[in-house]
Amino acid sequence: MPAPTSSPTVPDAAQGASALRAEAEEVLRRLVGDPSAQLREDQWTAIEALVADRRRALVVQRTGWGKSAVYFVATALLRARGAGPTVIVSPLLALMRNQIAAAERAGVRAVTVNSTNAEEWGRVYEDVRAGAVDVLLVSPERLNNPGFRDEVLPPLAATTGLLVVDEAHCVSDWGHDFRPDYRRIRTLLADLPAGIPVLATTATANERVTADVAEQLSVTGTRTLEDVLVLRGSLDRESLRLAVLRLPSHAHRLAWLVQHLPQLPGSGIVYVLTVSAAADVAGHLRAHGVEAVAYTGQTDPAERLQAEDDLVHDRIKVLVATSALGMGFDKPDLGFVVHLGAPSSPIAYYQQVGRAGRGIDSAEVVLLPGAEDRDVWRHFASIGFPGEEDVRRALDALAEAGGTLSTPALEARVALRRNRLEMMLKVLDVDGAVRRVRGGWEATGRPWSYDAERYERVARAREVEQRAMLDYQATEGCRLEFLRRALDDPEAAPCGRCDNCGGFDVPRDVDEDAVRQAGTDLTRPGVPLEPKKQWPSGMAALGVPLTGKIAPAERAGEGRSVARTTDLGWGAAVRELFAATSPDQETPVPLRRAAAAVLDDWARELGLDGVVAMCSASRPQLVAHLAEGLSRYTGLPLLATFVLRPDAGPTRSDVNSPHRLAQVADRFRLPPDAAVEGRTVLLVDDRTRTGWTLAVAARELRRAGAAQVHPFVLADGE
């Protein structure tokens, strides 16, 4: 960047605006590498508001419109006028990497602080303080890191020249991808000196979200929009050709992918709804000659980087991804997006399909909905903001501690699972009821009220979005017009390019041999169950004397499940079996055959000597029938059946590991006549969710003399 200079004095406002625009377009041309590039009118309006008027602005424009050009051009102009560095709050590492590369083209030095470059933080902070950095990109999570919040953020806020909130719909809990960490931005906004411009950008905000975000940007504190410039444009994407294709089974959908992905233009993304589906679909495609890689939130960060790079440079045909590959991934020539299963809202769907066709004339977008989609939606809806009782329990635990509690220590006092607990704490932190500090969390003592009405309204809004997604699949009207109306685009009109408009004749043929092969792959049962090796921390607070590593002599061996509840193949059968409305029953015949097939494939080399059955309060008939049937099938004796303690009450599975272990640690007994000493045992139960019941039962068997214990269940998961 050139050294800051004073803004020239101009005799006329119009001349000044004209000169500023000319300067802005010179920066734009460096940014995009096109000597003839010109700003869109709304781009210029936003830049002028930020640079000349030092205003706050919200830009809602489609993916690929050029929102990042607004803040990079504005940064260059502000820095040339002596302003401090721009701070960009950006949600994903992929977005950060792309933005840093774009900034360099405009002569803007950009650096990032995120979870993957901790070793660079000290140098980055020194460069920021020295004025050598033009743009600092930070993740929303970093805003509430105690060290960053207390030591870096105050001086940074005092010297910031421009604050940018990217993917700003995340600020609003009405947004389809609300993130509690984004709420911390409100505190940052309040700490900015007067006259510091602020820009928020998103491609996916309907009118309600737009109003909510704009109100939070307001500097007046009166929730008025008078001081916020809102620029909202058409959400048309002229390159996208959309279609919905209903196929009769999972096997048909997989076969369609194998048959037709190679013919789709360029490289692209296949979105799936679950982590297990990503691995299964990518594996199936690779086995049938399609270069595919799985990409999920559980993928190792280095592997994610490599996968993104491979897709960008067309070294693979497709990434099979969950929503972890979403905001910010930038490949302008991405040729297609296929969804194997529908997202839960048209707004989320629009965002994901927006990855395609940003820099090419035509891209193909196909939705292959599945019968299991609504089950997945219900699952994710069930893990929203906790009920008031759980929240109060957490607040009471922190208050009683009188100091700092780590998240694991708090888990021992509150039954919520880790992800829900951390999400709740982040919301309470933003609301001022708790504070994140080094080592954990503290209560602030400030009054806090549970806004049950708002949480219920948000839940109802999610249900409306789910119904709208089903309506999208069923509509006979224009697909893109439907999505644009869902985002309250006033210019929504038929696109002329989708399957319903007659502009996209998506191939519907499926090779029957490929269907049979996919069916064979899907119906091949068997999922490994890894044994627990460490007791959860904090068990002493729950009165359970288990701590540290599980002794090898008390540990289970590897087990097997017939299927995960999220699997594309057998998942549907086990979900139906364990549905709340399904009665206790004998093992269904298809699952009997699947269980036998798993044993045939897995248990031959285990040297099993007998079967032990778990006890079940909810499905005793199913567990007994499964254990007895496996005993008969293998010819192994049924050595014992665990029994419930007489005072054993109902348990909850939707709790965290410490509380689940506390529920089952002393729940059942091995009969004294169990003949397990020196034997290798097949431990049979109906399902596992957390693995702690199997771990406790295996410990009892090992302590009773069993040489090895190998768990076996029908289902793994909720």
Side-chain angles (χ1 to χ4, degrees):
M1 289 290 299
T5 61
S6 300
S7 180
T9 302
V10 293
D12 180 81
Q15 287 182 334
S18 178
L20 183 63
R21 181 163 187 166
E23 187 181 351
E25 290 187 335
E26 280 301 315
V27 177
L28 175 70
R29 289 162 189 152
R30 294 199 303 270
L31 178 69
V32 300
D34 180 358
S36 63
Q38 293 183 318
L39 290 167
R40 303 175 188 269
E41 283 307 311
D42 275 1
Q43 285 177 317
W44 163 241
T45 300
I47 291 168
E48 185 179 33
L50 296 169
V51 177
D53 303 328
R54 306 299 172 100
R55 293 189 64 186
R56 297 189 174 189
L58 170 59
V59 174
V60 183
Q61 297 283 359
R62 67 183 184 272
T63 300
W65 175 85
K67 296 182 290 294
S68 61
V70 171
Y71 48 77
F72 284 133
V73 171
T75 293
L77 299 181
L78 286 165
R79 291 288 281 164
R81 286 154 177 77
T86 291
V87 176
I88 301 177
V89 182
S90 184
L92 293 179
L93 298 181
L95 189 60
M96 291 182 182
R97 289 189 294 272
N98 291 330
Q99 288 173 325
I100 289 172
E104 290 175 353
R105 293 195 296 271
V108 173
R109 188 190 175 205
V111 296
T112 181
V113 173
N114 61 68
S115 58
T116 68
N117 69 341
E119 72 284 355
E120 300 176 12
W121 293 353
R123 177 179 54 79
V124 168
Y125 298 152
E126 288 180 7
D127 288 348
V128 170
R129 284 190 290 268
V133 170
D134 301 311
V135 173
L136 175 65
L137 294 105
V138 299
S139 66
E141 294 79 10
R142 188 60 35 199
L143 295 178
N144 203 32
N145 172 274
F148 186 88
R149 180 196 63 210
D150 298 336
E151 300 166 16
V152 179
L153 198 54
L156 186 61
T159 59
T160 293
L162 169 67
L163 174 64
V164 177
V165 183
D166 213 353
E167 305 296 350
H169 61 274
C170 296
V171 172
S172 172
D173 55 7
W174 299 108
H176 72 277
D177 196 18
F178 165 65
R179 301 188 180 194
D181 289 299
Y182 259 77
R183 298 285 290 274
R184 176 60 52 188
I185 292 168
R186 291 190 300 184
T187 304
L188 179 56
L189 287 168
D191 292 341
L192 287 176
I196 299 301
V198 177
L199 172 67
T201 67
T202 180
T204 49
N206 58 19
E207 288 181 354
R208 172 183 283 182
V209 174
T210 297
D212 191 20
V213 174
E215 287 169 355
Q216 294 187 51
L217 290 178
S218 172
V219 296
T220 65
T222 58
R223 298 185 69 77
T224 173
L225 304 186
E226 294 176 359
D227 58 338
V228 178
L229 171 66
V230 178
L231 296 171
R232 189 178 172 89
S234 168
L235 298 177
D236 188 21
R237 289 291 309 279
E238 295 180 359
S239 64
L240 297 185
R241 300 195 296 158
L242 282 73
V244 175
L245 178 58
R246 293 184 178 277
L247 295 171
S249 70
H250 297 310
H252 282 81
R253 292 191 292 159
L254 276 183
W256 188 94
L257 291 176
V258 169
Q259 184 175 345
H260 294 291
L261 279 183
Q263 281 74 54
L264 293 181
S267 54
I269 302 168
V270 170
Y271 277 109
V272 294
L273 299 183
T274 65
V275 171
S276 59
D280 292 345
V281 172
H284 182 81
L285 292 174
R286 286 195 301 272
H288 293 84
V290 180
E291 296 167 318
V293 173
Y295 185 108
T296 76
Q298 296 180 15
T299 305
D300 179 81
E303 293 177 5
R304 290 172 69 166
L305 279 172
Q306 185 61 55
E308 292 171 16
D309 192 66
D310 286 344
L311 183 62
V312 166
H313 293 95
D314 297 318
R315 290 189 287 267
I316 57 176
K317 179 68 177 179
V318 63
L319 274 187
V320 183
T322 63
S323 58
L325 184 72
M327 295 180 295
F329 179 75
D330 186 17
K331 177 176 168 59
D333 62 344
L334 194 77
F336 62 88
V337 169
V338 177
H339 278 77
L340 193 66
S344 60
S345 82
I347 300 173
Y349 184 63
Y350 176 87
Q351 183 190 69
Q352 290 180 350
V353 302
R355 305 268 69 79
R358 297 174 63 173
I360 53 179
D361 293 336
S362 179
E364 299 183 4
V365 174
V366 182
L367 171 60
L368 305 173
E372 75 283 358
D373 295 352
R374 277 171 276 188
D375 292 334
V376 177
W377 300 347
R378 279 191 290 269
H379 169 70
F380 286 116
S382 72
I383 56 176
F385 194 74
E388 184 170 7
E389 182 179 348
D390 286 324
V391 180
R392 294 293 176 195
R393 190 175 292 114
L395 289 172
D396 291 345
L398 287 169
E400 291 166 5
T404 302
L405 280 181
S406 67
T407 302
L410 192 56
E411 274 187 309
R413 295 164 171 82
V414 182
L416 295 171
R417 291 185 179 177
R418 177 71 64 90
N419 59 345
R420 293 191 76 196
L421 177 61
E422 291 184 335
M423 183 267 286
M424 179 194 73
L425 290 167
K426 289 174 180 179
V427 172
L428 293 176
D429 188 349
V430 173
D431 290 345
V434 305
R435 177 177 170 84
R436 187 180 177 193
V437 297
R438 284 188 173 89
W441 304 87
E442 291 179 351
T444 64
R446 297 178 188 173
W448 181 85
S449 60
Y450 187 88
D451 195 348
E453 182 181 354
R454 182 175 181 85
Y455 301 140
E456 178 59 30
R457 290 201 310 271
V458 172
R460 288 197 301 269
R462 296 289 181 268
E463 292 174 359
V464 170
E465 290 173 346
Q466 292 176 12
R467 289 195 295 271
M469 196 64 217
L470 297 175
D471 292 342
Y472 170 79
Q473 298 170 31
T475 186
E476 296 179 356
C478 173
R479 304 282 185 196
L480 188 58
E481 181 182 17
F482 187 102
L483 296 178
R484 293 172 66 187
R485 290 195 185 282
L487 281 152
D488 298 319
D489 182 353
E491 300 179 25
C495 70
R497 303 181 299 274
C498 69
D499 56 347
N500 285 343
C501 288
F504 183 19
D505 186 15
V506 62
R508 298 176 179 273
D509 61 304
V510 182
D511 181 77
E512 287 303 318
D513 288 339
V515 173
R516 282 190 290 271
Q517 183 60 59
T520 299
D521 291 348
L522 285 169
T523 55
R524 184 177 295 117
V527 178
L529 295 176
E530 294 296 327
K532 296 288 188 182
K533 297 180 181 179
Q534 179 94 21
W535 300 116
S537 58
M539 295 309 301
L542 294 171
V544 179
L546 295 172
T547 185
K549 292 183 178 180
I550 302 175
E554 297 182 352
R555 189 185 301 166
E558 185 182 80
R560 282 292 186 277
S561 168
V562 170
R564 307 180 193 92
T565 55
T566 56
D567 283 348
L568 294 176
W570 285 102
V574 295
R575 286 196 303 272
E576 181 180 353
L577 177 63
F578 292 106
T581 54
S582 295
D584 186 20
Q585 59 186 290
E586 294 184 349
T587 314
V589 171
L591 285 171
R592 298 179 202 177
R593 294 171 179 161
V598 173
L599 283 181
D600 288 344
D601 183 58
W602 165 62
R604 295 173 184 169
E605 309 301 325
L606 296 180
L608 295 172
D609 298 310
V611 175
V612 171
M614 283 303 302
C615 48
S616 173
S618 59
R619 299 186 184 273
Q621 182 183 7
L622 176 62
V623 176
H625 183 263
L626 177 63
E628 291 165 2
L630 292 175
S631 173
R632 288 193 302 272
Y633 179 75
T634 60
L636 298 171
L638 184 61
L639 301 174
T641 298
F642 277 91
V643 294
L644 286 172
R645 284 183 46 169
D647 58 347
T651 64
R652 290 175 55 189
S653 61
D654 61 335
V655 296
N656 59 38
S657 286
H659 281 261
R660 181 59 181 169
L661 178 56
Q663 289 181 143
V664 302
D666 199 31
R667 181 174 171 78
F668 38 78
R669 294 282 184 268
L670 186 66
D673 60 350
V676 299
E677 187 169 359
R679 300 195 176 191
T680 296
V681 172
L682 186 71
L683 174 62
V684 177
D685 203 355
D686 56 350
R687 71 189 301 185
T688 183
R689 295 181 178 92
T690 64
W692 291 116
T693 294
L694 296 175
V696 169
R699 179 174 182 264
E700 290 297 308
L701 288 166
R702 296 297 303 275
R703 287 163 68 94
Q708 290 292 333
V709 178
H710 295 281
F712 183 89
V713 298
L714 293 174
D716 177 13
E718 296 294 336

